[in-house]
Amino acid sequence: GVGRVAAPDCVRPLADAWLVSHCMGILDGDVKTAELADAFGWAEPPRAAVVCAQLVRVGGQWTEECAVTEEELHDQLLRPAYSQLSELLETPAFAGVSTVMRGRPCVWAGEGRGFFAAEHVAFDGGDALPLPYLCQVPALLSPFTPLLTALGVRDAFASRDFLHANVCFKRDHDDKPLPPPQLEACVR
């Protein structure tokens, strides 16, 4: 097909695709010199707003059918995005990060779980974790504990969280009996 021309601030190199593809174009080719990358502004990380939007978009559309391993997701999106956003902690720019991510599924909960909003994630999930409504932070995200805490992940769940999970069970199963694993989680 015919390529499009775009300003460098609207495009990022292919290496940044996982960080920006929702909001920006991806360069169809390679940048061979550091000087050119620097001239285009690509030596610097993408804008935090773009990274936040990407996390929110990926988290909101994630399904178990996504053809990517947890390791690939961690290396291409989670580690670079969470690292970049961690650098903004205790700066005025973090207020914008917090606003964009609040209430949205942007915290990785592990393979088979996907993304959750920070208020449904805890560092210690406890024994009676009612799947699929609450989850525990996976160990691979432990380097990002300060960021996750600032986004609203708590140390442990409170009774209101388990009440929320029971309401979700009711909503999702209506008047049908709960399957045994959900029933057990609900009454533990």
Side-chain angles (χ1 to χ4, degrees), residues 138-161:
L140 82 124
L141 295 186
S142 61
F144 306 108
T145 297
L147 172 68
L148 298 175
T149 300
L151 291 174
V153 173
R154 292 168 284 140
D155 290 331
F157 292 115
S159 56
R160 73 177 183 275
D161 300 305

Side-chain angles (χ1 to χ4, degrees), residues 4 16 21 31 41 48 51 58 73 76 81 87 93 102 134 150 179 184 188:
R4 297 182 304 173
D16 290 342
S21 62
V31 176
V51 173
V58 170
L73 181 71
Q76 298 295 319
E87 292 175 12
R102 186 179 304 121
L134 302 173
E184 184 179 337
R188 274 172 138 181

Side-chain angles (χ1 to χ4, degrees), residues 52 55-56 94-107 116-120 148 150-153:
C52 288
L55 277 169
V56 167
F94 191 76
V97 169
S98 180
T99 299
V100 169
M101 310 267 277
R102 186 179 304 121
R104 297 193 171 143
C106 58
V107 177
F116 280 70
E119 63 264 21
H120 302 301
L148 298 175
L151 291 174
V153 173

Side-chain angles (χ1 to χ4, degrees), residues 8-101:
D9 63 346
C10 297
V11 177
R12 292 293 294 195
L14 182 60
D16 290 342
W18 270 99
L19 286 174
V20 302
S21 62
H22 168 62
C23 297
M24 301 182 80
I26 303 300
L27 179 68
D28 183 17
D30 292 325
V31 176
K32 306 257 187 243
T33 68
E35 292 81 12
L36 186 57
D38 191 45
F40 287 162
W42 298 341
E44 295 297 318
R47 293 185 316 274
V50 171
V51 173
C52 288
Q54 183 78 2
L55 277 169
V56 167
R57 181 66 170 227
V58 170
Q61 293 185 340
W62 189 265
T63 66
E64 287 191 45
E65 290 77 38
C66 291
V68 63
T69 66
E70 185 171 37
E71 181 180 345
E72 187 177 12
L73 181 71
H74 180 263
D75 291 346
Q76 298 295 319
L77 175 65
L78 300 175
R79 186 180 37 75
Y82 291 163
S83 294
Q84 181 179 342
L85 298 178
S86 292
E87 292 175 12
L88 299 177
L89 286 168
E90 300 181 26
T91 71
F94 191 76
V97 169
S98 180
T99 299
V100 169
M101 310 267 277

